[in-house]
Amino acid sequence: MSEQNELGRFLKSRRARIDPGQSGIEANARRRVAGLRREEVASLAGISVEYYVRLEQGRASRPSEAVLDAIGRALQLDADERRYLDGLARPRPSMRSPRPERVRTELTQLLGMMDRVPAMVINHRMDVLAWNRLAAQLFFDFESVTPRERNLARFGFLDADSKERFIDWQDVARATVGTLRLATSHHDDDEVLATLLGELMMKSEQFRTLWAGRDVKQRTHGSKRFRHPVVGELTLRFENFDLPGETGQRLVAFSPEPASPAASALELLAMWTGPSPERAEPVKSEEA
């Protein structure tokens, strides 16, 4: 699924963004490359230039954790980028024939009890595996589409309604791409993910442009602004919780600031008789 020598492309993109002066390197007018040179990265990381060149060319196999840490510091990688680098440089053993994903009954019941906040369970592909009524009303009617179409990335880039639903659509789009790129380094054998990325590359120019930037980010919390056709605009905080024992599954919940206009809007939305009761349905690998 990965592009050929994605490790090399990622390293080049990260060193190109760094101002040499911020790394204590004196720049001059004769520099012909943006950011750091290969030999400068090698020097900052304390490794040989030859070895670093081999890494960028895809000719060095399984560098040590210490080497990756040193390169991460030299390239000023954040935690998500460091995880992505590790996944590219030291891929995990292939796991063929992925099983259909299911959400535990207890989690589905929990979603149903969360009647005051939109909540859902998603996986590393951003498939919506389970949801409550408020989540379906806030995003779109998950019940009315196939499991394959219950995907937040497809909605964001291929459904025109998403640009109306998300006030800060560009920010949501960047976050979506960052999440999917991070997923590729840990699920390199996932053919369903590969199919999703291929579809987005083919159908969305905006996705292709953002994907080429190779930015990596997993947002665990923050805020998102929605424009809902019934209750209008509302700003909600979100929290992502990794589910122990459920590989790649996360519980995502949205909440308003207490006593805010968003809180009132969410109460109105909860009273609105909309579609989609809380439900969970397996997402089969051949459909997702």
Side-chain angles (χ1 to χ4, degrees), residues 39 85 98 104 108 112 135 146 150 171 191 212 216 233 242-243 274:
E39 58 268 26
L85 175 63
R104 288 188 290 109
T108 306
T146 65
R150 291 177 199 143
D171 184 63
E191 295 181 359
V216 181
E233 296 186 5
D242 289 334
L243 298 176

Side-chain angles (χ1 to χ4, degrees), residues 184-224:
T184 62
S185 68
H186 297 285
H187 302 273
D188 188 64
D189 61 324
D190 187 337
E191 295 181 359
V192 180
L193 178 57
T195 299
L196 170 65
L197 295 176
E199 180 182 6
L200 295 174
M201 292 284 285
M202 181 174 61
K203 296 181 178 179
S204 172
E205 181 179 356
Q206 291 158 315
F207 180 85
R208 290 195 298 273
T209 299
L210 289 171
W211 189 258
R214 289 183 166 76
D215 290 330
V216 181
K217 196 66 179 176
Q218 179 69 67
R219 296 189 180 181
T220 59
H221 61 279
S223 63
K224 192 170 300 215

